[in-house]
Amino acid sequence: MSMARFSPFELVLLKSRSQVDTATLLLLAWVLVHRQHVSEGQRRRRLAQVTAQFRHGHELGPVMGIAHSQDLQAIQLAAEILRKECSQERSLSILHQSIAVATDDGELSLANHYILRFLADLLNVSPTTLSTLFYELTGRQMGSPEDPSRHTYWQQHNPDYFSQKARDAAAEKQAREAAEQQAHRQAQQREQKKQRKQQEKQRQQEEAHARQEHTRQERDRQRKQDEQYRREQAQREKARQERTRHEGARGERRQWQRTAPPPDRTTRALAVLGLPPGASRGDVRLAYRRMAQLHHPDRFFTESDHQVALASARFQRIKNAYDYLMQTY
């Protein structure tokens, strides 16, 4: 059978010749380990003396070790064994032995005060009976245990109580201040981290805005360049069309000039007389008479010599034209 499932006290019980004696031994050892100012050797000798008539058949060391470990489950198991296997008289005897062991030096420690009450409860012994047994053995009443949670207890049992309280308060204050400082530093770090995040976010927003503004300006500049280019293209196209139109007109004039026949002498002569091409011989005579009367030099004798010279030249052209036409018609 595997031993791993058994507790140390259960293993001791399995090896014991008398489980009742082993259970009683554990309870007495539990009381002894809470005796003040007693060495371990004295505890073992006292336990051996008290249990000299026991028939457990095993060493005391394992039981003392269990008592030192404060194994309450083992103690409760021991009490259950005694309550099941022992009579009320035997339970009182065990409690009597426990009181004797606890008060050997005349003093009852605070721990044993509670242990005796705990054992009495486990063994179904009433508090009144416990007080009676205690009085019979010690000759004094078993008062209420002192409360370690009260200041008066420590004032009586610890001369350094107030200085220790002051040190504890100072340490607590220092720890509290350190915690507050740590919390303050952490809050500052969180705030700084938050500010850095906000600054980084603001910087990113500003950069994004700057990029958008730069993109908008680039678009505007490109749009203006495109508009300027289109205007220049339109102007160049208009100028080209204008040049083409003028060149076409000049070409047409040059073509007309190249193709139109030069006016002949007859046409020029008719033009001098103010007649169109194809005029008749009679038209020539009438025109000559009219032009001669109008431009004869004698009419300008009162004018200057220059005016007279001009009139003579005009009249000579008229006469030459008339003479030529009369010869050719």
Side-chain angles (χ1 to χ4, degrees), residues 234-248:
Q235 291 175 357
R236 285 194 293 269
E237 180 64 20
K238 184 177 180 181
R240 186 186 64 78
Q241 292 177 357
E242 188 68 20
R243 287 195 303 272
T244 302
R245 186 174 62 80
H246 286 303
E247 289 175 357

Side-chain angles (χ1 to χ4, degrees), residues 52-265:
Q53 303 299 322
F54 284 13
R55 296 178 292 106
H56 49 78
H58 53 73
E59 297 293 333
L60 299 180
V63 177
M64 290 295 294
I66 295 171
H68 276 292
S69 67
Q70 305 293 324
D71 189 349
L72 294 181
Q73 290 183 349
I75 293 169
Q76 185 175 2
L77 177 59
E80 290 176 355
I81 291 173
L82 294 177
R83 188 165 51 188
K84 180 179 179 181
E85 301 293 338
C86 299
S87 62
Q88 181 70 17
E89 184 179 354
R90 179 64 187 273
S91 297
L92 292 175
S93 175
I94 294 171
L95 193 57
H96 188 280
Q97 290 176 316
S98 300
I99 295 172
V101 170
T103 58
D104 277 343
D105 57 356
E107 295 292 335
L108 180 63
S109 67
L110 179 63
N112 276 332
H113 202 139
Y114 284 101
I115 288 173
L116 290 178
R117 292 179 180 275
F118 181 66
L119 290 178
D121 183 63
L122 289 177
L123 296 173
N124 287 329
V125 176
S126 66
T128 303
T129 304
L130 174 63
S131 298
T132 301
L133 286 175
F134 188 85
Y135 182 76
E136 291 176 354
L137 286 173
T138 62
R140 62 180 184 273
Q141 296 292 335
M142 185 179 182
S144 299
E146 296 178 290
D147 189 354
S149 64
R150 296 183 178 275
H151 290 293
T152 55
Y153 174 85
W154 295 105
Q155 290 172 6
Q156 294 176 3
H157 293 80
N158 186 7
D160 196 31
Y161 172 73
F162 288 107
S163 59
Q164 183 63 38
K165 288 284 289 184
R167 288 193 295 271
D168 293 343
E172 182 180 357
K173 181 180 179 181
Q174 185 177 3
R176 185 171 60 253
E177 291 177 351
E180 291 176 354
Q181 292 176 358
Q182 179 67 17
H184 181 66
R185 285 194 298 270
Q186 291 177 352
Q188 286 182 335
Q189 291 174 356
R190 288 193 297 270
E191 184 65 23
Q192 292 174 356
K193 185 176 180 180
K194 181 179 178 181
Q195 291 179 357
R196 286 195 297 270
K197 286 184 177 179
Q198 291 178 349
Q199 292 174 356
E200 180 65 19
K201 183 178 180 180
Q202 184 177 2
R203 184 185 63 80
Q204 292 177 354
Q205 290 177 349
E206 290 176 353
E207 290 179 353
H209 179 71
R211 288 194 297 269
Q212 292 176 356
E213 183 65 20
H214 178 71
T215 302
R216 186 186 64 78
Q217 292 177 357
E218 283 294 319
R219 285 200 301 266
D220 292 343
R221 185 179 62 81
Q222 187 64 35
R223 179 176 56 79
K224 291 179 181 179
Q225 288 180 351
D226 293 342
E227 291 177 355
Q228 181 67 21
Y229 177 76
R230 286 194 294 270
R231 285 195 298 269
E232 292 176 355
Q233 284 290 95
Q235 291 175 357
R236 285 194 293 269
E237 180 64 20
K238 184 177 180 181
R240 186 186 64 78
Q241 292 177 357
E242 188 68 20
R243 287 195 303 272
T244 302
R245 186 174 62 80
H246 286 303
E247 289 175 357
R250 286 197 300 270
E252 290 177 357
R253 286 196 298 272
R254 285 195 298 270
Q255 183 67 22
W256 178 82
Q257 290 174 357
R258 286 194 298 269
T259 57
D264 56 7
R265 187 174 179 180

Side-chain angles (χ1 to χ4, degrees), residues 268-288:
R268 291 196 300 272
L270 290 172
V272 171
L273 296 177
L275 296 174
S280 65
R281 191 177 179 86
D283 294 333
V284 172
R285 289 193 185 96
L286 291 175
Y288 172 72

Side-chain angles (χ1 to χ4, degrees), residues 10-25:
E10 289 173 338
L11 293 176
V12 173
L13 288 175
L14 290 174
K15 299 176 182 179
S16 175
R17 296 176 183 174
S18 173
Q19 292 187 352
V20 173
D21 288 345
T22 299
T24 304
L25 183 66

